[in-house]
């Protein structure tokens, strides 16, 4: 058995932005958070909280749970390294 791949939520966000042709600043505006905060989330320096998860879900057409699960799985994997 091999464990499921775990990656920082920022990697997923960067892929989404690239596919949509959006900038980090545009996503931050849609999520209603400062661009600096979005940058910190994408760089793994700040966690996705429930409010931001809900806004990301709305902006990207994904569930709040997806973003919270990505964050939780990354946190657990990071602790076991």
């Amino acid at each position: 058995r091999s464990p499921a791949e775990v990656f920082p939520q920022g990697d997923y966000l960067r892929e989404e932005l690239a596919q949509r042709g959006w900038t980090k600043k545009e996503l931050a505006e849609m999520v209603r958070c400062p661009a600096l905060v979005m940058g910190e989330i994408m760089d793994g320096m700040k966690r996705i909280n429930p409010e931001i998860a809900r806004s990301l879900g709305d902006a990207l057409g994904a569930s709040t749970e997806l973003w919270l699960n990505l964050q939780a799985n990354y946190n657990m994997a990071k602790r076991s390294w």
Side-chain angles (χ1 to χ4, degrees):
R1 287 186 166 182
S2 62
E5 181 181 2
V6 177
F7 50 89
Q9 62 280 7
D11 290 356
Y12 191 89
L13 285 170
R14 277 188 265 290
E15 286 180 22
E16 287 290 324
L17 292 179
Q19 289 177 0
R20 296 164 192 261
W22 295 351
T23 66
K24 187 179 353 181
K25 182 179 178 184
E26 289 171 327
L27 180 60
E29 289 171 1
M30 287 183 244
V31 173
R32 295 176 302 282
C33 77
L36 178 63
V37 170
M38 184 57 63
E40 290 173 338
I41 289 170
M42 293 179 75
D43 291 338
M45 298 180 340
K46 187 168 189 71
R47 294 180 178 189
I48 294 175
N49 64 37
E51 182 179 334
I52 290 176
R54 188 175 309 111
S55 294
L56 283 170
D58 291 345
L60 298 171
S63 70
T64 300
E65 291 78 14
L66 169 77
W67 297 104
L68 292 174
N69 286 335
L70 281 173
Q71 182 67 64
N73 289 335
Y74 179 67
N75 293 346
M76 285 189 299
K78 199 169 139 184
R79 273 188 244 135
S80 66
W81 291 338

